[in-house]
Amino acid sequence: DDRNVLVEESAGGLKVTMTELFQMYIGDFAGEGADANSEDGQRNMIKWVLPWARGQKRDLLSKALEDGARLTFVWDPYNWETNGPEIPLDSRIYSPTL
């Protein structure tokens, strides 16, 4: 799904755009201590996504991991509105305990 992982090829190289949900939980995907803004962290995210990709997207992600690949990596802001409307909590069921 291009809303989660988008790969574009141009004369300038490859551009990989991933949802910022991956960025928020990068340690779960790219290894503990992974830095979302480092080349190693971003390459490890591509490695994690690669087995789940198909067709041209898989081919381009593989190309992005090649030595010397010109890669631009972008974290795409997540659209929280897709989660649906806010539903008021029933205080009889959900009551905070501090």
Side-chain angles (χ1 to χ4, degrees):
D1 181 343
D2 287 342
R3 292 174 295 172
N4 295 313
V5 178
L6 174 65
V7 187
E8 301 168 290
E9 186 173 29
S10 69
L14 292 166
K15 178 181 176 184
V16 176
T17 304
M18 289 191 185
T19 176
E20 82 178 339
L21 285 177
F22 284 129
Q23 181 185 24
M24 291 166 53
Y25 298 100
I26 193 165
D28 295 336
F29 300 108
E32 191 173 328
D35 179 356
N37 296 312
S38 75
E39 185 178 334
D40 283 343
Q42 294 165 356
R43 289 175 61 84
N44 285 338
M45 274 306 312
I46 294 170
K47 289 176 187 175
W48 187 88
V49 167
L50 187 61
W52 309 107
R54 294 186 212 151
Q56 183 181 14
K57 184 178 288 187
R58 184 182 181 107
D59 295 342
L60 291 174
L61 288 170
S62 293
K63 190 174 180 179
L65 293 173
E66 292 175 0
D67 288 338
R70 291 182 297 174
L71 176 63
T72 301
F73 198 99
V74 177
W75 294 111
D76 192 30
Y78 182 72
N79 179 1
W80 292 99
E81 291 179 11
T82 62
N83 289 355
E86 284 289 323
I87 299 173
L89 298 178
D90 184 336
S91 63
R92 295 171 296 160
I93 299 170
Y94 301 102
S95 55
T97 55
L98 303 173

